[in-house]
Amino acid sequence: MAAYLLAVLTVAAPIAACESSLPYVVEGCVRADLGGRSVARVWNEQLLALIRQVVPAPTVHARNLFHMSAAMWDAWAAYDPQADGYFVTEKDRATDVQAAREAAISYAAYRILNWRYANVADLAAATGELDATMAALCYRTDYVDTASATPAALGNRIAQAVLDYGAHDGAREAERYVDADYRPVNEPLIVAEPGTVMRDPNRWQPLALERQVSQNGLPIPGKIQTFIGPDWGHVTPFALPASVAGTPIDPGPPPRLGDPATDAAFKQAAVDIIRYSSELDPGDGMVVDISPASQGDNRLGTNDGHGHDVNPSTGSPYEPHLVLRADFARVLAEFWADGPNSETPPGHWNTVANAVSDAPTFERRIGGEGAEVDPLEWDVKLYFTLNGAVHDAAIAAWGLKGHYDSSRPISMIRYMGGKGQSTDPDAPAYDPAGLPLVPGLIEVITDASSAPGQQHEALAEHVGEVAIRAWRGFPEDPATQTSGVGWIRAVEWVPYQRATFVTPAFAGYVSGHSTFSRAAAEVLTAFTGDPYFPGGLSEWTTHAGDLLHEEGPTQDVTLQWATYYDAADQAGISRLYMGIHVPADDFEGRRIGSVCGQEAWALAESYFDGSARP
C-alpha cells in the first residue's frame, strides 16, 4: 500500500508549480497530481500504510487515526468562520483558503505521524515515505516555525497541541502503551500441549507459543502473550463520557462458569463455537446463499435477519450467490481478521469509507442533504467523525476487556473438555464444570464408539475423555493442505487461525471487531444519509486458493453486503467462525458500537455548525 501511495503522488502527471515565495514551499517544485484525491485523503492513506508496517494494536491505531483526523479538521476549521476546532480553536485568514488548508493539514499530519510512528520496524523506510509525501506536495520538511501566521506554522502548532494532549490522555504513550501493573490470574496455556490449567476459568489466560507472529506477519518478541491495553478504558474519549472505573459503557459481566444465573449460558457459548468450528469442512458439501437476498438485515445485537427483498438502487431483487458453507466461513474469517491489508479493524473501516467516497455515482452531501461539498471538506469531516467513533469504540471495548478480564474460547473449551461432560451425572466422565453433551458434536469416547469403523476410532487410546467434532487444527503446509473437520479431543482444540497467532493477546468480552464495525456503520449511515452502500451493494472477492490458514477456498467467493450494518454484523460473525469470540462478545460489542457511532455523529455535527463546547 505504501508503494502504491507514493506512486500516486510521484508518477502521475504533474500540475502547476507551487508558489516559491512561501517560506515552507520548495522553490521551483512541481507538485504531483493527486489523482482527484484531497490532501486529507493522501495523509489518511499514508497513516494506513504505516499501520500495516507495525505489530497490530487496534487501540493505539484507533487513537492515532482520531488524533490525526482531529488535527486535519482543526486545520480546515481554522479557515471557516463558523466551525469549532477540537484541539486548536484559532481562526486565520488566507487569500487562497484551499491552499492554506492543504498546507496546514499536511504539516499537522506529517509532524504527528513522525512522532507516533517513530518505532516502526523499518524506521528509515517509514520516514522516507513521509518525507516523500511532503516532497510530492512541494512542502519543506525542515520548516518548523510555530510562531508565525503562515498555514504551515499553524499546522505545526496543531501538531504540537495534539502531541502535548497525547502525553496526558491516559494512553501511557511515554510507557509505550504498556500497563506494568496488570498481571493475569491464570498461568499460560501451552498451545502445543493438550489441555490447560486455570485458577479461574472465567478470566483471561495468555497463550504460550513456540513463536509469535502477528496477523500481518511481523514477529512478536517472546513466547508468552502480553495483554494489550488492559487500562485503555481510562483513555480520554471523543463523544463518550469519561469513566473513573474505566468502563464508559457497562452492560454487565459476560456469562460465567459456576455462576448459577449464567453457567448454562457459558457452556452454551462453548457449544456454539464448537458448532461453528464443525462447519469449516469444504468436504461436507453444504451450500449456502451468501447474497443480500438471504444474508443481513439483522436487528441490533442479533443474527435474526433473512436478507433484503430488493436492491433500493436498482429496484431489482438481489441475485443469489451460492457457495460452499465452509468456503464462505473461512473467507469470512480471514477477510475480517485484520482488514484485507492488515490495517486492523479501525483502519479497515477507513478503507471502506474511502471506497464509498470513490463510488462513481456517489454524491458528497453530508448527512445526505444540502449542497454537494468538495472532496477536502468531505474527507476532513468524515475522518473526524468516523475516527472519533472508532477511538471511542476502542475505549469502550477495551475498558470492558480490562475490567472483566474474560476468557477466550480456546481456554473455555480445553478447560471444560478436560473436566469431562456436564450433562449426565450417571454417565462416564461427569463433572459439573464439563462440556454439555451434544450427539454428533460433543461426545464421550467409549470402547464402543472407538471400535474399528466407529466415529471415535482414531481416539481409541483416550476412552473416557470428551471428543468434539471440529476443525482438526493447523495444517503442516497451509498452502497445499486443508485440515477439514473430524473428531478430536476437546483438550486439543484450536481456533481457525495460524499456529503462530492462535488468538489475540487480550480478553474476549467484548469483541473489538464488533464494536469498531458497528460504530463505523452508524457513522457511515448517518454521514451519507443512507444505510445502503452506493448502488445498494458492496463486494469483495477472494479467489480460489487465496486463503492463508489452509488451502482454499475451493472456488471464488464474493462477500456481499447491502448495508453498512450488514457488513458490520459479518465482521462480528467472522470472529465466531474463527473461534476467538463467543456470541456474547459479539452481540454486546455491536450494541456498544452503536452507541459510540451515534454519539460521535451527534458531537461531530456540533463542531461542524459551531455549537460545540471545545
Side-chain angles (χ1 to χ4, degrees):
M1 182 63 187
Y4 168 75
L5 176 61
L6 292 178
V8 168
L9 294 177
T10 59
V11 176
I15 59 174
C18 300
E19 295 183 43
S20 58
S21 59
L22 300 172
Y24 52 86
V25 171
V26 178
E27 186 173 356
C29 175
V30 178
R31 183 175 175 177
D33 183 357
L34 305 187
R37 301 178 180 217
S38 74
V39 164
R41 172 72 174 270
V42 167
W43 286 107
N44 175 265
E45 293 189 345
Q46 181 64 76
L47 174 48
L48 295 177
L50 289 172
I51 290 173
R52 297 177 186 117
Q53 298 175 48
V54 298
V55 173
T59 50
V60 175
H61 298 318
R63 174 176 176 266
N64 288 341
L65 281 161
F66 173 57
H67 284 182
M68 190 187 80
S69 298
M72 294 196 299
W73 161 251
D74 286 357
W76 188 94
Y79 298 95
D80 184 279
Q82 183 179 29
D84 285 329
Y86 185 77
F87 289 113
V88 173
T89 59
E90 71 174 79
K91 295 295 180 183
D92 290 355
R93 294 182 179 181
T95 303
D96 187 338
V97 171
Q98 180 81 358
R101 282 172 166 160
E102 290 182 347
I105 286 170
S106 296
Y107 276 91
Y110 174 75
R111 301 287 176 214
I112 291 169
L113 296 185
N114 258 307
W115 177 265
R116 291 285 173 81
Y117 288 90
N119 296 305
V120 296
D122 190 341
L123 178 58
T127 302
E129 290 169 15
L130 293 172
D131 288 351
T133 299
M134 288 290 276
L137 296 171
C138 292
Y139 298 132
R140 290 173 45 194
T141 58
D142 61 350
Y143 185 83
V144 296
D145 179 27
T146 59
S148 72
T150 67
L154 169 63
N156 288 336
R157 286 195 295 276
I158 292 171
Q160 191 58 55
V162 172
L163 298 181
D164 289 345
Y165 175 90
H168 306 286
D169 70 341
R172 298 179 184 263
E173 185 177 314
E175 290 83 40
R176 304 282 292 275
Y177 312 104
V178 174
D179 179 4
D181 297 328
Y182 176 82
R183 295 288 186 276
V185 301
N186 292 306
E187 295 299 315
L189 182 158
I190 303 174
V191 175
E193 298 180 4
T196 188
V197 175
M198 302 182 76
R199 295 175 184 171
D200 185 344
N202 297 304
R203 301 286 294 278
W204 181 69
Q205 181 176 45
L207 302 184
L209 301 164
E210 184 59 34
R211 185 167 66 99
Q212 291 193 81
V213 178
S214 68
Q215 285 183 322
N216 61 347
L218 294 177
I220 301 174
K223 297 183 177 183
I224 298 175
Q225 289 180 329
T226 300
F227 196 129
I228 297 173
D231 62 339
W232 205 260
H234 294 281
V235 174
T236 304
F238 170 55
L240 294 181
S243 169
V244 174
T247 52
I249 303 175
D250 189 355
R256 288 170 168 165
L257 186 66
D259 175 8
T262 59
D263 177 82
F266 184 98
K267 292 173 180 174
Q268 183 59 47
V271 174
D272 291 340
I273 298 311
I274 294 169
R275 194 178 303 280
Y276 276 107
S277 185
S278 75
E279 296 179 358
L280 297 173
D281 187 357
D284 65 16
M286 292 294 296
V287 174
V288 293
D289 178 14
I290 65 170
S291 76
S294 300
Q295 303 281 335
D297 198 25
N298 301 314
R299 290 179 300 164
L300 176 60
T302 74
N303 288 329
D304 65 356
H306 300 286
H308 304 265
D309 292 334
V310 297
N311 181 329
S313 293
T314 65
S316 300
Y318 288 99
E319 293 291 332
H321 180 34
L322 301 178
V323 300
L324 289 173
R325 179 179 64 183
D327 280 348
F328 168 62
R330 294 181 299 159
V331 166
L332 195 68
E334 294 200 21
F335 172 77
W336 288 108
D338 231 358
N341 295 303
S342 297
E343 57 273 306
T344 76
H348 188 179
W349 280 96
N350 276 251
T351 67
V352 171
N354 288 338
V356 168
S357 301
D358 289 343
T361 60
F362 184 73
E363 295 182 344
R364 298 180 178 87
R365 302 182 192 277
I366 296 172
E369 301 175 344
E372 189 168 8
V373 301
D374 66 74
L376 182 62
E377 180 176 352
W378 175 267
D379 286 340
V380 294
K381 289 183 175 180
L382 175 60
Y383 297 144
F384 179 58
T385 312
L386 173 64
N387 291 317
V390 297
H391 175 58
D392 280 0
I395 294 167
W398 265 257
L400 295 174
K401 289 177 184 291
H403 183 70
Y404 290 113
D405 197 38
S406 66
S407 55
R408 290 275 184 172
I410 186 171
S411 297
M412 297 166 62
I413 292 171
R414 286 196 180 195
Y415 178 82
M416 288 192 290
K419 289 289 185 180
Q421 57 89 10
S422 59
T423 298
D424 187 352
D426 298 325
Y430 176 76
D431 189 293
L435 283 169
L437 294 177
V438 179
L441 187 70
I442 305 171
E443 301 177 350
V444 175
I445 305 166
T446 66
D447 289 328
S449 70
S450 60
Q454 299 303 307
Q455 72 267 33
H456 302 150
E457 178 183 3
L459 303 174
E461 296 182 1
H462 303 285
V463 170
E465 295 186 35
V466 174
I468 61 176
R469 193 169 185 280
W471 188 61
R472 288 192 178 98
F474 318 120
E476 188 172 324
D477 182 4
T480 62
Q481 296 176 337
T482 299
S483 294
V485 167
W487 286 100
I488 63 173
R489 299 161 69 200
V491 292
E492 293 182 319
W493 179 80
V494 292
Y496 179 74
Q497 282 287 339
R498 300 187 200 183
T500 52
F501 179 77
V502 184
T503 200
F506 37 80
Y509 183 78
V510 295
S511 166
H513 273 67
S514 301
T515 314
F516 285 131
S517 298
R518 184 65 187 211
E522 294 286 3
V523 167
L524 289 172
T525 296
F527 204 91
T528 64
D530 189 348
Y532 285 85
F533 280 94
L537 184 67
S538 181
E539 298 180 313
W540 180 277
T541 298
T542 297
H543 296 290
D546 280 356
L547 291 179
L548 299 176
H549 301 344
E550 64 179 8
E551 196 279 329
T554 58
Q555 65 187 92
D556 290 356
V557 174
T558 300
L559 299 179
Q560 299 178 322
W561 314 282
T563 71
Y564 304 115
Y565 299 133
D566 293 345
D569 287 352
Q570 277 202 357
I573 295 168
S574 76
R575 315 305 276 174
L576 308 183
Y577 277 117
M578 295 174 81
I580 60 178
H581 278 295
V582 297
D585 302 345
D586 174 22
F587 292 153
E588 290 299 343
R590 296 188 204 180
R591 296 184 185 105
I592 291 167
S594 180
V595 174
C596 293
Q598 292 179 30
E599 293 295 320
W601 166 245
L603 182 59
E605 281 191 295
S606 72
Y607 279 93
F608 300 161
D609 65 23
S611 63
R613 295 292 180 266

